[in-house]
CSV table of all heavy atoms in Angstrom, one decimal:
chain,number,residue,atom,x,y,z
A,47,SER,N,139.0,-7.1,212.3
A,47,SER,CA,138.4,-7.9,213.4
A,47,SER,C,137.0,-8.4,212.9
A,47,SER,O,136.6,-9.5,213.3
A,47,SER,CB,138.1,-7.0,214.6
A,47,SER,OG,139.3,-6.5,215.2
A,48,TYR,N,136.3,-7.6,212.1
A,48,TYR,CA,135.1,-8.1,211.5
A,48,TYR,C,135.3,-9.3,210.6
A,48,TYR,O,134.5,-10.3,210.6
A,48,TYR,CB,134.4,-7.0,210.7
A,48,TYR,CG,133.2,-7.5,209.9
A,48,TYR,CD1,132.0,-7.8,210.6
A,48,TYR,CD2,133.3,-7.6,208.5
A,48,TYR,CE1,130.9,-8.2,209.8
A,48,TYR,CE2,132.2,-8.1,207.8
A,48,TYR,CZ,131.0,-8.4,208.5
A,48,TYR,OH,130.0,-8.8,207.8
A,49,PHE,N,136.4,-9.2,209.7
A,49,PHE,CA,136.7,-10.4,208.9
A,49,PHE,C,137.1,-11.6,209.7
A,49,PHE,O,136.7,-12.8,209.3
A,49,PHE,CB,137.8,-10.0,207.9
A,49,PHE,CG,137.2,-9.2,206.7
A,49,PHE,CD1,138.1,-8.2,206.2
A,49,PHE,CD2,136.0,-9.4,206.2
A,49,PHE,CE1,137.7,-7.5,205.1
A,49,PHE,CE2,135.6,-8.7,205.1
A,49,PHE,CZ,136.4,-7.8,204.6
A,50,HIS,N,137.7,-11.5,210.8
A,50,HIS,CA,138.1,-12.6,211.7
A,50,HIS,C,136.8,-13.2,212.3
A,50,HIS,O,136.6,-14.4,212.4
A,50,HIS,CB,139.0,-12.2,212.8
A,50,HIS,CG,140.4,-12.1,212.4
A,50,HIS,ND1,141.2,-13.2,212.1
A,50,HIS,CD2,141.3,-11.1,212.3
A,50,HIS,CE1,142.4,-12.8,211.8
A,50,HIS,NE2,142.5,-11.6,211.9
A,51,PHE,N,135.9,-12.3,212.7
A,51,PHE,CA,134.6,-12.7,213.3
A,51,PHE,C,133.8,-13.5,212.3
A,51,PHE,O,133.2,-14.5,212.6
A,51,PHE,CB,133.8,-11.4,213.8
A,51,PHE,CG,132.5,-11.7,214.3
A,51,PHE,CD1,132.4,-12.2,215.6
A,51,PHE,CD2,131.4,-11.5,213.6
A,51,PHE,CE1,131.2,-12.4,216.1
A,51,PHE,CE2,130.1,-11.7,214.2
A,51,PHE,CZ,130.0,-12.2,215.4
A,52,VAL,N,133.7,-13.0,211.0
A,52,VAL,CA,132.9,-13.6,210.0
A,52,VAL,C,133.6,-15.0,209.6
A,52,VAL,O,132.9,-16.0,209.3
A,52,VAL,CB,132.7,-12.7,208.8
A,52,VAL,CG1,132.1,-13.5,207.6
A,52,VAL,CG2,131.8,-11.6,209.2
A,53,ALA,N,134.9,-15.0,209.5
A,53,ALA,CA,135.7,-16.2,209.0
A,53,ALA,C,135.5,-17.4,210.0
A,53,ALA,O,135.5,-18.5,209.5
A,53,ALA,CB,137.2,-15.9,208.9
A,54,ARG,N,135.2,-17.1,211.2
A,54,ARG,CA,135.0,-18.3,212.2
A,54,ARG,C,133.6,-18.9,212.0
A,54,ARG,O,133.5,-20.1,212.3
A,54,ARG,CB,135.1,-17.8,213.6
A,54,ARG,CG,136.5,-17.5,214.0
A,54,ARG,CD,136.5,-17.3,215.5
A,54,ARG,NE,135.8,-15.9,215.7
A,54,ARG,CZ,136.0,-15.1,216.7
A,54,ARG,NH1,136.7,-15.5,217.7
A,54,ARG,NH2,135.4,-14.0,216.7
A,55,ARG,N,132.7,-18.2,211.3
A,55,ARG,CA,131.4,-18.8,211.1
A,55,ARG,C,131.1,-19.3,209.8
A,55,ARG,O,130.1,-19.9,209.6
A,55,ARG,CB,130.4,-17.6,211.5
A,55,ARG,CG,130.2,-17.4,213.0
A,55,ARG,CD,129.8,-16.1,213.3
A,55,ARG,NE,129.6,-15.9,214.8
A,55,ARG,CZ,130.5,-15.7,215.6
A,55,ARG,NH1,131.8,-15.8,215.2
A,55,ARG,NH2,130.3,-15.5,216.9
A,56,LEU,N,132.0,-19.1,208.9
A,56,LEU,CA,131.9,-19.6,207.5
A,56,LEU,C,132.6,-20.8,207.3
A,56,LEU,O,133.8,-21.0,207.9
A,56,LEU,CB,132.2,-18.5,206.5
A,56,LEU,CG,131.4,-17.3,206.4
A,56,LEU,CD1,132.0,-16.3,205.3
A,56,LEU,CD2,130.0,-17.6,206.1
A,57,SER,N,132.3,-21.7,206.4
A,57,SER,CA,133.0,-22.8,206.0
A,57,SER,C,134.3,-22.3,205.2
A,57,SER,O,134.3,-21.3,204.6
A,57,SER,CB,132.3,-23.8,205.3
A,57,SER,OG,131.8,-23.3,204.0
A,58,GLN,N,135.3,-23.2,205.2
A,58,GLN,CA,136.5,-22.8,204.5
A,58,GLN,C,136.3,-22.7,203.0
A,58,GLN,O,135.7,-23.5,202.4
A,58,GLN,CB,137.6,-23.8,204.8
A,58,GLN,CG,139.0,-23.3,204.3
A,58,GLN,CD,140.1,-24.3,204.7
A,58,GLN,OE1,139.9,-25.3,205.0
A,58,GLN,NE2,141.3,-23.8,204.6
A,59,ARG,N,136.7,-21.6,202.4
A,59,ARG,CA,136.6,-21.3,201.0
A,59,ARG,C,137.9,-21.8,200.3
A,59,ARG,O,138.9,-21.9,201.0
A,59,ARG,CB,136.4,-19.9,200.7
A,59,ARG,CG,135.1,-19.2,201.4
A,59,ARG,CD,135.1,-17.8,201.2
A,59,ARG,NE,136.3,-17.1,201.5
A,59,ARG,CZ,136.6,-15.9,201.1
A,59,ARG,NH1,135.8,-15.2,200.3
A,59,ARG,NH2,137.7,-15.3,201.4
A,60,PRO,N,137.9,-21.9,199.0
A,60,PRO,CA,139.1,-22.3,198.3
A,60,PRO,C,140.2,-21.3,198.5
A,60,PRO,O,141.4,-21.6,198.5
A,60,PRO,CB,138.7,-22.4,196.9
A,60,PRO,CG,137.3,-22.7,196.9
A,60,PRO,CD,136.7,-22.1,198.1
A,61,GLU,N,139.8,-20.0,198.7
A,61,GLU,CA,140.9,-18.9,198.7
A,61,GLU,C,141.5,-19.1,200.1
A,61,GLU,O,142.7,-18.6,200.3
A,61,GLU,CB,140.2,-17.6,198.7
A,61,GLU,CG,139.5,-17.2,197.4
A,61,GLU,CD,138.1,-17.6,197.3
A,61,GLU,OE1,137.7,-18.4,198.2
A,61,GLU,OE2,137.5,-17.4,196.2
A,62,ASP,N,140.9,-19.7,201.1
A,62,ASP,CA,141.5,-19.9,202.4
A,62,ASP,C,142.5,-21.1,202.5
A,62,ASP,O,143.2,-21.2,203.5
A,62,ASP,CB,140.4,-19.9,203.5
A,62,ASP,CG,139.6,-18.7,203.5
A,62,ASP,OD1,140.1,-17.6,203.3
A,62,ASP,OD2,138.4,-18.8,203.9
A,63,ASN,N,142.4,-21.9,201.6
A,63,ASN,CA,143.3,-23.2,201.6
A,63,ASN,C,144.5,-22.9,200.8
A,63,ASN,O,144.4,-22.7,199.5
A,63,ASN,CB,142.5,-24.3,201.0
A,63,ASN,CG,143.3,-25.6,201.1
A,63,ASN,OD1,144.3,-25.7,201.7
A,63,ASN,ND2,142.6,-26.6,200.5
A,64,PRO,N,145.7,-23.0,201.4
A,64,PRO,CA,146.9,-22.7,200.6
A,64,PRO,C,147.2,-23.8,199.6
A,64,PRO,O,148.0,-23.5,198.6
A,64,PRO,CB,148.0,-22.7,201.7
A,64,PRO,CG,147.4,-23.2,202.9
A,64,PRO,CD,146.0,-23.2,202.8
A,65,ASP,N,146.7,-25.0,199.7
A,65,ASP,CA,146.9,-26.1,198.8
A,65,ASP,C,145.8,-26.2,197.7
A,65,ASP,O,145.7,-27.2,197.1
A,65,ASP,CB,147.0,-27.5,199.5
A,65,ASP,CG,148.2,-27.4,200.5
A,65,ASP,OD1,149.2,-26.7,200.1
A,65,ASP,OD2,148.1,-28.0,201.6
A,66,ALA,N,144.9,-25.3,197.6
A,66,ALA,CA,143.7,-25.4,196.7
A,66,ALA,C,144.2,-25.2,195.3
A,66,ALA,O,145.2,-24.5,195.0
A,66,ALA,CB,142.7,-24.3,197.1
A,67,GLU,N,143.4,-25.8,194.5
A,67,GLU,CA,143.6,-25.7,192.9
A,67,GLU,C,142.6,-24.7,192.5
A,67,GLU,O,141.6,-24.3,193.1
A,67,GLU,CB,143.4,-27.1,192.3
A,67,GLU,CG,144.4,-28.1,192.7
A,67,GLU,CD,145.7,-27.8,192.3
A,67,GLU,OE1,145.9,-27.3,191.2
A,67,GLU,OE2,146.7,-28.2,192.9
A,68,VAL,N,142.8,-24.2,191.2
A,68,VAL,CA,141.9,-23.3,190.6
A,68,VAL,C,140.6,-23.9,190.4
A,68,VAL,O,139.5,-23.3,190.5
A,68,VAL,CB,142.5,-22.8,189.2
A,68,VAL,CG1,141.4,-21.9,188.5
A,68,VAL,CG2,143.7,-22.0,189.5
A,69,SER,N,140.5,-25.2,190.1
A,69,SER,CA,139.3,-25.9,189.8
A,69,SER,C,138.4,-26.1,191.1
A,69,SER,O,137.2,-26.3,191.0
A,69,SER,CB,139.5,-27.3,189.2
A,69,SER,OG,140.3,-28.1,190.1
A,70,ASP,N,139.0,-25.9,192.3
A,70,ASP,CA,138.2,-26.0,193.5
A,70,ASP,C,137.2,-24.8,193.6
A,70,ASP,O,136.2,-25.0,194.3
A,70,ASP,CB,139.1,-26.0,194.8
A,70,ASP,CG,139.9,-27.2,194.9
A,70,ASP,OD1,139.6,-28.2,194.2
A,70,ASP,OD2,141.0,-27.1,195.6
A,71,GLY,N,137.4,-23.7,193.0
A,71,GLY,CA,136.6,-22.6,193.0
A,71,GLY,C,135.5,-22.6,191.9
A,71,GLY,O,134.8,-21.7,191.8
A,72,ALA,N,135.5,-23.6,191.1
A,72,ALA,CA,134.5,-23.7,190.0
A,72,ALA,C,133.2,-24.0,190.4
A,72,ALA,O,133.0,-24.5,191.6
A,72,ALA,CB,135.0,-24.8,189.0
A,73,GLY,N,132.2,-23.6,189.7
A,73,GLY,CA,130.8,-23.8,190.0
A,73,GLY,C,130.0,-22.6,190.1
A,73,GLY,O,130.5,-21.5,189.8
A,74,GLU,N,128.8,-22.7,190.5
A,74,GLU,CA,127.9,-21.6,190.6
A,74,GLU,C,128.3,-20.7,191.8
A,74,GLU,O,128.6,-21.2,192.9
A,74,GLU,CB,126.5,-22.0,190.8
A,74,GLU,CG,125.5,-20.9,190.7
A,74,GLU,CD,124.0,-21.4,190.7
A,74,GLU,OE1,123.8,-22.5,190.2
A,74,GLU,OE2,123.2,-20.6,191.1
A,75,LEU,N,128.4,-19.4,191.5
A,75,LEU,CA,128.8,-18.4,192.5
A,75,LEU,C,127.6,-17.8,193.3
A,75,LEU,O,127.7,-17.1,194.2
A,75,LEU,CB,129.6,-17.3,191.9
A,75,LEU,CG,130.9,-17.8,191.3
A,75,LEU,CD1,131.6,-16.6,190.7
A,75,LEU,CD2,131.8,-18.4,192.3
A,76,GLY,N,126.4,-18.0,192.8
A,76,GLY,CA,125.2,-17.4,193.4
A,76,GLY,C,124.4,-16.6,192.5
A,76,GLY,O,124.7,-16.6,191.2
A,77,PHE,N,123.4,-15.9,193.0
A,77,PHE,CA,122.6,-15.1,192.1
A,77,PHE,C,123.0,-13.6,192.1
A,77,PHE,O,123.2,-13.1,193.2
A,77,PHE,CB,121.1,-15.2,192.7
A,77,PHE,CG,120.2,-14.3,191.9
A,77,PHE,CD1,119.7,-14.5,190.7
A,77,PHE,CD2,119.7,-13.1,192.6
A,77,PHE,CE1,118.9,-13.7,190.0
A,77,PHE,CE2,118.9,-12.2,191.9
A,77,PHE,CZ,118.4,-12.5,190.6
A,78,PHE,N,123.1,-13.1,191.0
A,78,PHE,CA,123.4,-11.7,190.9
A,78,PHE,C,122.2,-11.0,190.2
A,78,PHE,O,121.7,-11.4,189.2
A,78,PHE,CB,124.7,-11.4,190.0
A,78,PHE,CG,125.9,-12.1,190.8
A,78,PHE,CD1,126.4,-13.3,190.3
A,78,PHE,CD2,126.6,-11.4,191.7
A,78,PHE,CE1,127.4,-13.9,190.9
A,78,PHE,CE2,127.6,-12.0,192.3
A,78,PHE,CZ,128.1,-13.2,191.9
A,79,SER,N,121.8,-9.9,190.7
A,79,SER,CA,120.7,-9.1,190.2
A,79,SER,C,121.0,-8.6,188.9
A,79,SER,O,122.1,-8.3,188.5
A,79,SER,CB,120.4,-8.0,191.2
A,79,SER,OG,121.4,-7.1,191.2
A,80,PRO,N,120.0,-8.4,188.0
A,80,PRO,CA,120.2,-7.9,186.6
A,80,PRO,C,120.7,-6.5,186.7
A,80,PRO,O,120.5,-5.8,187.7
A,80,PRO,CB,118.9,-8.1,186.0
A,80,PRO,CG,117.9,-8.1,187.1
A,80,PRO,CD,118.6,-8.8,188.2
Side-chain angles (χ1 to χ4, degrees):
S47 300
Y48 172 75
F49 281 146
H50 279 293
F51 179 75
V52 171
R54 285 185 292 202
R55 284 158 177 71
L56 294 178
S57 60
Q58 187 175 19
R59 302 178 307 164
E61 294 90 354
D62 297 330
N63 184 4
D65 299 325
E67 297 291 328
V68 174
S69 61
D70 292 340
E74 187 169 331
L75 297 176
F77 174 75
F78 296 97
S79 63

